Amino acid sequence: MVLTGVFRFDVPVVPDGPEARQWLLDELSKPEYTAARPSLFDRLSQAFFEWLMRLFQPGDSVPLDWLPVAIVGLVVAGLVAALLIWGLPRVNRNSRPAAGLFGDDDRRTARELRSAAAAAASAGDFTLAVLEQFRALARGLAERTIVRVSPGTTAHDFAARASEMFPTASGDLARAAEIFDRVRYLGHDGNASDFDRLRRLDVRLQKESPASHELVDAWGTE
């Protein structure tokens, strides 16, 4: 018996270069391959851990990768040391003076108030000199952000708060507040002794450091 029919069998097909590349791209575009592909985060994490492991590999010399770490460490150590020595930085050091100063609308700086006090004393007006010198004392501590003086602060409020920052000067501060109130509100005349006492106290506190780096508020009402 003679078989005259033609039988076809599936045989492997060898693609050419472009066709093989396309087959590979089609295969890799399937969802299962896409899900397994490393993300950008995975690549960055791997690079970081490889860098970290290189830092701890033994060698004859310090690797250059240590340089950024050493620089950052020195900067952080310097900042910590500065905070321990000088405390937190004070803000608004050059801000405009507050308007209120012991019942008066006064925006003069401590330097201006000291000059006014000295000028009044030179002219023999010790009543004005005493008032200006006490204001200069208060303004100076406010500018140094040691004691904040609000519009309603009284002389005794200020002296009490300043005494917390300068305990050794508490007696002189209380005496200065009494002098100011006596001249400002009781109508007494100032004298050269009173002015000199306030001036010397102002000079002393300018040279001393406060007991704390925390700003204190001197509240009160006239």
Side-chain angles (χ1 to χ4, degrees):
M1 182 175 180
V2 180
L3 298 177
T4 58
V6 179
F7 295 93
R8 302 180 62 183
F9 299 94
D10 293 332
V11 296
V13 178
V14 179
D16 55 13
E19 189 175 8
R21 186 164 50 253
Q22 185 60 45
W23 285 8
L24 179 60
L25 293 176
D26 293 341
E27 181 68 19
L28 293 177
S29 64
K30 293 181 179 180
E32 54 268 27
Y33 291 103
T34 303
R37 187 179 305 164
S39 64
L40 177 61
F41 176 78
D42 296 330
R43 294 196 296 272
L44 292 177
S45 300
Q46 182 179 0
F48 171 76
F49 284 113
E50 289 176 354
W51 170 82
L52 195 62
M53 293 299 297
R54 288 202 308 273
L55 296 181
F56 295 96
Q57 289 178 353
D60 297 333
S61 60
V62 178
L64 293 179
D65 287 340
W66 271 108
L67 290 178
V69 177
I71 293 173
V72 172
L74 289 175
V75 172
V76 172
L79 291 175
V80 172
L83 289 176
L84 291 176
I85 296 173
W86 294 293
L88 293 175
R90 301 185 186 279
V91 297
N92 297 328
R93 189 175 293 273
N94 297 319
S95 61
R96 183 175 180 146
L101 191 60
F102 306 121
D104 293 325
D105 186 4
D106 197 332
R107 293 183 181 273
R108 287 176 295 172
T109 65
R111 182 190 296 271
E112 293 170 336
L113 288 164
R114 291 182 184 117
S115 296
S122 298
D125 188 353
F126 289 104
T127 296
L128 178 60
V130 164
L131 298 177
E132 297 288 57
Q133 184 59 59
F134 187 82
R135 294 188 181 103
L137 171 64
R139 184 71 82 198
L141 295 187
E143 287 177 351
R144 291 169 63 189
T145 61
I146 296 175
V147 179
R148 180 186 290 121
V149 181
S150 64
T153 299
T154 66
H156 285 278
D157 292 330
F158 164 76
R161 295 305 183 185
S163 295
E164 296 178 10
M165 308 303 285
F166 301 96
T168 59
S170 59
D172 291 330
L173 284 164
R175 177 60 177 162
E178 291 175 2
I179 293 173
F180 178 83
D181 282 348
R182 187 182 69 230
V183 174
R184 176 70 170 81
Y185 299 108
L186 300 181
H188 291 198
D189 293 331
N191 54 57
S193 177
D194 291 338
F195 168 71
D196 189 59
R197 180 189 292 270
L198 296 180
R199 185 189 59 79
R200 285 188 285 106
L201 177 59
D202 186 21
V203 172
R204 171 188 171 184
L205 295 186
Q206 289 179 62
K207 298 177 181 179
E208 291 188 9
S209 298
S212 172
H213 291 286
E214 295 295 330
L215 175 67
V216 297
D217 291 302
W219 303 109
T221 56
E222 292 285 6

